[in-house]
Each structure stands twice: as structure tokens, then as C-alpha cells.
Amino acid sequence: MGDDLDGMYDTFKALLDSFPPAEAVKRLEQFGVSPDVVELIRERHEQQTIRIKELQEPQAVVMDGRDTWYTGPQKKDKCWPAIKELLLKDGWSEDPGIRSLDDSSTRIVSLLNHPKEKSFSTRGLVVGYVQSGKTTNFTSVMAKAADRGYKLFIVLAGIHNGLRRQTQARLVQQLVEPNPSLWSQLTGLDKDFTPQENPAGYFGRSNRTHVLCVVKKNATVLRKLAGWLGKASEYLQGCPALIIDDEADQATVATKSINPLILQIMGHLPRSAYVGYTASPFANLLIDPGAQDLYPKDFIVNLPKPEGHFGTEVLFGRYALDGEDPEQLDDGHDMIRSVPDDDVSAVRPETKADVEGFEPFITDTLRRAVDYFWLVTAARRVRGTGNPHNTMLIHTSVNTSVHNSFKTPLEQLRSRFVRSLSTGDADFLERLRGLWDEETKRVPASEFGETKVRFDDLLPELPTVLSSCRIIMDNSSSEDRLDYENGPVVAIAVGGNTLSRGLTLEGLSVNYFVRSVSAYDTLLQMGRWFGFRNGYADLPRIWMTDELAEWFRHLATVETEMRRDIDVYMTESENPMTFAVRLRTHPALRVTAAAKMRDAVVAASSYGGKRIQTHYFHTNAQWLGGNITAARALVASATANAVAIEERPSEGRYVFRDVPHDIVIDFLSSYKFHEKSPENDADLIIQYIRKRVSAAGSLRRWNIAVVGNPRGGGFPFSPRVRVGLNTRARLKPSGPAADFADIKTLMSRRDAAVDLAGEVSGLTEKGIMEERRKQLPDTGLLVLYPIDKVSEPTPAKKLRAPLNAEEDVIGVGLVFPEPREADSTVEGYISADLSQVPIEDEDYGLLDGEDA
């Protein structure tokens, strides 16, 4: 029976090439296969689909009732095995590299419709990381879809020629060249789409090849493609098409020209699947799910972070999310270098009126960044490992004339460097040695499994580094472009949007970045330094303003929270139509461009089960003094109104139990949260407390805790309540310390259990919340922390500096009970006052031009 069943199952799999699963089963029945055998085949197929559905990674949220037909590659496949072979030759490992790619691409293909269904219009979204191999993933998806019968493949490759050309080259190399007889191309390396004379030649029954079309998101190009497909409609009824939208958040969402044209193209394809790929899905997930749009109504897939990937969090650190132990988070690596605010006007025009005739000045920080780039390139030649290319990116403006103005000053800088090197200028060489030794000391090579390259070993490499270094103005108006296809490249690239999205900058090690942007997704995409740094993970550096570095730290937190939300909703079996992602708002960052956000202006917040804490503070005496007064008034009211008071001076802790909620509201009305802490919005928190009290009878009573240092009793909240001061060092400011401090973490996990009975020291964060639900289901917790105004960091905390506030600081933590039933929500606008922020938004004028 076993061999017979295997043979019948192979027959069933062969039928799946021509029919969806239900139809294939009917065919077996028509062939006279017994009901018992049909049932066994059905069960085996179901087991295969369950294996695909239950893959731990990638996580997916899927519309109910979608039929999983694809269960993985087969022996007769041609396209996927060719990609696998190429990747193994390129040094990919079987496990986890190829296995992870195989699993994730199989999962995505399983969520497409069977190509032989009569009609379908699928919409999905795949969330990856910036520079993390999304192109390889969608190429693998295309290969597996082609192996199963998808015919037409349209790839929307950004809005610039550079990315379109790079994508075309990759797809030709990995799909077309290994199987040239299986593919026809509508576009070429240097040729975007132009209408072909004979659609039947591509889509007629006599042509069995797959059709590849790689186009820019440019209105003129897409209009031509839509018109041509419209004329070919008689051939497209049985043509399953897969549309891959690379950088799906750019130009696709809510743009007047591009969005309708993509929908028009899909309208000409009765069997079509649209899959967006993005590393910044903020815009895509804020589309109104009910609109006839490109919202990913059928599935959202969250790709795992690949091993060895440099992301926002690695470089900038981030804040703790709910349920995380703050002590387990580090501050990122010491790779960010400060560009003083005074330098900005020297490298970018302050206003549009200053653009014409602008001449940049090579500041000390820019010269230091360029010098370091040449040293890194020499050091990488000594190591002789990893990517053969070396690139530096200078990104100060989107304006092409500003880019072009850098050419002469940079070439003059190189000439001076060469002259000093050739004459053996002792002061010059000592300066270079000092720069190299300082940088390699701040980021030890040993932390990344590398060995430090000595300055004397890299010095002989510098003359050839300088002679081979090209200075390229890469923008939409320049002829000179980055080209990694003709041997190793050493280049300093000055550019804007052509370099900021999608395009892979090979061997990127140094970035000088001062451009202001106003949206999460634009900011995230600007991070060309994200990606893989095999063989030189200790060497990348980024020069940027302190404000931008802070924005990126906040962004790392937003990004991590959003990805975690996706995973949480996936495990809770939400479907994409009810899916909603909470986004923290930042006062100087719009979530995404206003046009994309038209469906997400109001954000509803719920604090149920959350733990929020202060980590931003002003450092001036007046602001801090007001918070000390508010805290002392709270302790006085809690002392007078608490049902019970627990004094634990040996632990530096006091707990005031069952304090009326109006006392907490009075405190929140007088305590000042820093304006850069939108998650600590006192008005929203007060509104939430009042709603819970009136709607559910919850939060009527609060426990107030004071948590200090058990050593010393130097800070008096009242005659009865004195505790030692806590130490909370600030993140080290790169420039002069202003009236601002970020301590990053205030509460420890243990503090969220300060009012719980019994042994809690061994509980996890989840365990603490579970215990709170049992012991204090309706009681809120407010914790006061007195913080030493000096707060010297420990020597191990290299990225920390003394707090150096003018007065001691009062930190506040709030822990809200998890609601037993539906939670209350309070609404706040996702918006920001951008009047004082110099903003350069993305230029979408290229979308409608003849050639982008």
C-alpha cells in the first residue's frame, strides 16, 4: 500500500500543476481512485500544508479561509534550484542561510493563489529590514511561482534608473541566465518598458516562456505598460501574473499618479497577485483597509532578521518596550560621531534661496570622516576579506546642484592628502595615526571577532587607495554613476534620493549625513549603512547631528515595537483587515508623509497592561524644582490618604496602598513630562484613568511607591520618607550638553513588582504581569524615583556620561493593570509642530517625468 500511495500522491502533485487542490482531488475521484486512498492523499497534503503554515519563521498574518496549495519545491523544478546553486557558489551556508530563504519564500508562495484558479486579485505585504536581502527573497518567490506556472512577472523597482537597472541585472543573473529558454524579457539593463508590437508573441498559447518586466514607478512608463496590457486583454485571461513592488512604501501609497496606475495594471490581469516588499511599512499599514486600494488584505509576512545584519538597533540602541527587561538592552555600538550644529550650514544651504551659488566648506568633521574612510579602505585591503568594494556616502541635501558643488572641494582635499602623504609630512602622519588609534580603541575589533590592523601595516596601502578613489556625484541629473559591475570600487559618493532607497551601496563603511527628514519611513530608508558588514563589522562609522542620532534611537524603538506588534497579532490569529499597528509618535517626526497618512491622522491609545516610564528630562533647576514640588505633594497626600503604608528603609522603598485616583490625577496635572516623550502624555493618561474609573470601576485605587537607593537617606520627600538617591547616567551627548538628558531606562523589572505580596524576585516580566492580574486586577502603580543630579556612570558604560543636572531629578514609572474585558481608548493626533524644523521631503517630481 505504501508504494502505491506514494505513486498516487506523486500523481496528485502532478495534478496540482494544472488544478487547485480541490479540483485535483475531484480528478483523482474521476480516475476511479478509491475514497479511502483519496482521503489518505488529502490527509498527506494537509500535513504538508500544516508544516508550511506552522513554520516558526517567517511569521504571517493571513486572511481567514485562504487555501494553502504550495508545499515547497519539487524535483522537476528549474528556477529555484538554479538560484540555490548560485547562492551556494556565492558562499551562502546551507543552514541557516539557504534553509531560512527556502522556508520564507515557500511560505510567501503558499499565500498566493493557485495559478490555475479562474480569477484572483491577491494583495500581500512582506516586511523585511533595510539592506537585508529582500531582493534575494522576492527573486526566490518569483522562481518558485514560475516553477508552478505563474507566467507574467512585473517588478516595480523604485523611482530611479539606478535601482531599476540594479534590480534588472540581479533578476537576469539569477532567473534568466541559468534558464534562458524559459524566459522572455520586456525590459533590458538600459531599457525601461516600451510597448511591443505583438502581445501574442509573449502571451499566446504557443509561447510557454515566463515574461519578465522590470519597470520604474514612473507615471509615463506605467501608463505605457497599462495601455499595452489593455490592448493584449484577449491573451491575458489565462495569464497568472505576479507583481512585486520593491520599496512598496515609496510612491505606491496614496500618490495621485502611481497608485491608480498600479490598480489599472491589475485590472487588466484577471489572475494577479500584488506583493509589496518594504523595510518601512508605516505607510502601507496606515492605508484604510476598507478602501479599494493596495492594503495587504490577504497576508502580511514578517521576515526574520538575518544573522549578521546591522540594523537601527545595533547602531543606535533603543528603549525598552513593555515586557522587556531594560537591563538586557545595550546602548548600541560606539560608531556614531557628532556633527556640530554650527557645521551644518557649511555643508548644506539653510534655505531654498541659498541653493543657487552654494559652495560647501570642508569642515573638521567632514575632513575627519573622509580621512577615516581612506584609512578604513587601506585596513580592509590589509585584511583581504569580505566585500571587495569600499564606499563612503555624503548625504546633506536632495538638491542636485548642492551635490555637484562638493566635487571640487573633495578633489582638493584628496590632492592635499596625496601631497602630505608623498612628502612624509610628520604632523599629517601623526594626525592620521591618532585618528586611527582613537577609532580602533573606541570600537575594539575583538568585539566583532576581528583583529585590529596596525597603522604601520595600513600606511603602505594608502597611495593606491587614493589613486583608485573616485569622487562621484550620483543623482538624477549626473552622467557619472556608481557601478560595481566592473571590478573593485573605491568611491566617495555625494548624492540624495538616487542613493537613499533600495540601491545597495557595496562595502559602505563611512557615512556623513546631515539631511533633515520628517517621516519615519524616509528616515529609516536613509540608513544605507544598514546591512551586512562581513569582515569589517568593527569599522563602519556615521557622522551625523545629535538630533538625528536621537531620532534614530527613537525610530529603532518604534520599528521594534511595530514588528513585535505584527508578531503578536499574528499569534493571536488576527487577519490583515482588522490589523492595526500602534506607532509611537515623535514630536519632530511625522509617521509618514501627509498624503499617505490621510487614513491615520487620529491614533487611539490604550494603556491597559502597559508600563510607561520617563527617560527624557530637562536639566535646568526651575523645571526640575517644579517636579520635586509635585512629587513631595504626592507623597504628602498619599501619607494622609493611604489605607496602609509599608516602610522598607533597608531596601530604600516605601509603598502607600489604596490611594484614591484623584490624588494621582492631581500629581499628573502638576508633574512636567518632557515634551519629547509623547508616550508620556499627561492629558491622555488622565483621560484614560477617568474612562476606566467610570466605565469599568478600575483604577479607582492606586499604590504609590518610592524607590530609592538603600544606601544613604539623602533625599527627603517628607519628614517621614527619606531615601538615598538613585544613579542614572545619561547617554553621552556627542556635542556640548544642552538642557536635555536621556537616561534611556528608569525602571527595573523588579520595580514593577514593588507592591506585590510573596516572593517575586525570580519572576519574569510576564510572570509579574500575571501576578499583578491575580493580586491587583484593578489597581494602578505609580513609582517615584529620586535621581542623583550628578549620576556618574560606571567605567563599563562607555556610551554614558554624568547626568550633571542643576537639581536632583524625579523620575516616574506607571504600571497599568491588564483589563479583564475590553479596554478603554483615548485618542490623540499623530502630528507634530514642524515649524522650527528644516525639512527636505522626498522629491516625487520624478514620478511624472519622461525619464527618472
Side-chain angles (χ1 to χ4, degrees), residues 228 667 741:
W228 186 70
F667 169 72

Side-chain angles (χ1 to χ4, degrees), residues 522-543:
T522 307
L523 188 61
L524 183 58
Q525 285 291 352
M526 292 291 130
R528 294 295 91 196
W529 49 83
F530 304 139
F532 299 96
R533 301 289 177 259
N534 300 330
Y536 65 108
D538 55 320
L539 299 177
R541 299 291 184 273
I542 305 165
W543 271 260

Side-chain angles (χ1 to χ4, degrees), residues 639 644-657 704 706 718-723:
T639 303
I645 301 175
E646 296 173 14
E647 301 185 24
R648 310 177 205 162
S650 63
E651 298 177 22
R653 294 173 172 230
Y654 291 77
V655 179
F656 304 85
R657 292 194 176 275
I704 311 296
V706 172
S718 72
R720 182 176 173 179
V721 180
R722 299 178 70 93
V723 293

Side-chain angles (χ1 to χ4, degrees), residues 627-633 635-636 654 706 712-725 784 786-787 807-808 810:
N627 282 348
I628 290 172
T629 300
R632 285 175 173 158
V635 170
Y654 291 77
V706 172
F715 189 87
F717 281 98
S718 72
R720 182 176 173 179
V721 180
R722 299 178 70 93
V723 293
L725 291 160
L784 295 174
I787 300 169
E807 292 284 355
D808 292 330
I810 300 295

Side-chain angles (χ1 to χ4, degrees), residues 827-846:
E827 291 186 342
Y829 283 89
I830 298 181
S831 62
D833 177 9
L834 300 172
S835 58
Q836 302 305 313
V837 182
I839 295 299
E840 284 193 312
D841 281 320
E842 291 189 80
D843 177 13
Y844 285 135
L846 295 168

Side-chain angles (χ1 to χ4, degrees), residues 83 138 146 217 230 274 414 451 481 486 537 556 562 637 692 751:
I83 288 180
F138 71 65
K217 282 187 238 183
Y274 167 92
R414 177 171 57 184
T451 302
R481 291 294 179 86
N486 299 303
M562 184 200 62
S637 293
R692 293 303 293 159
D751 298 341

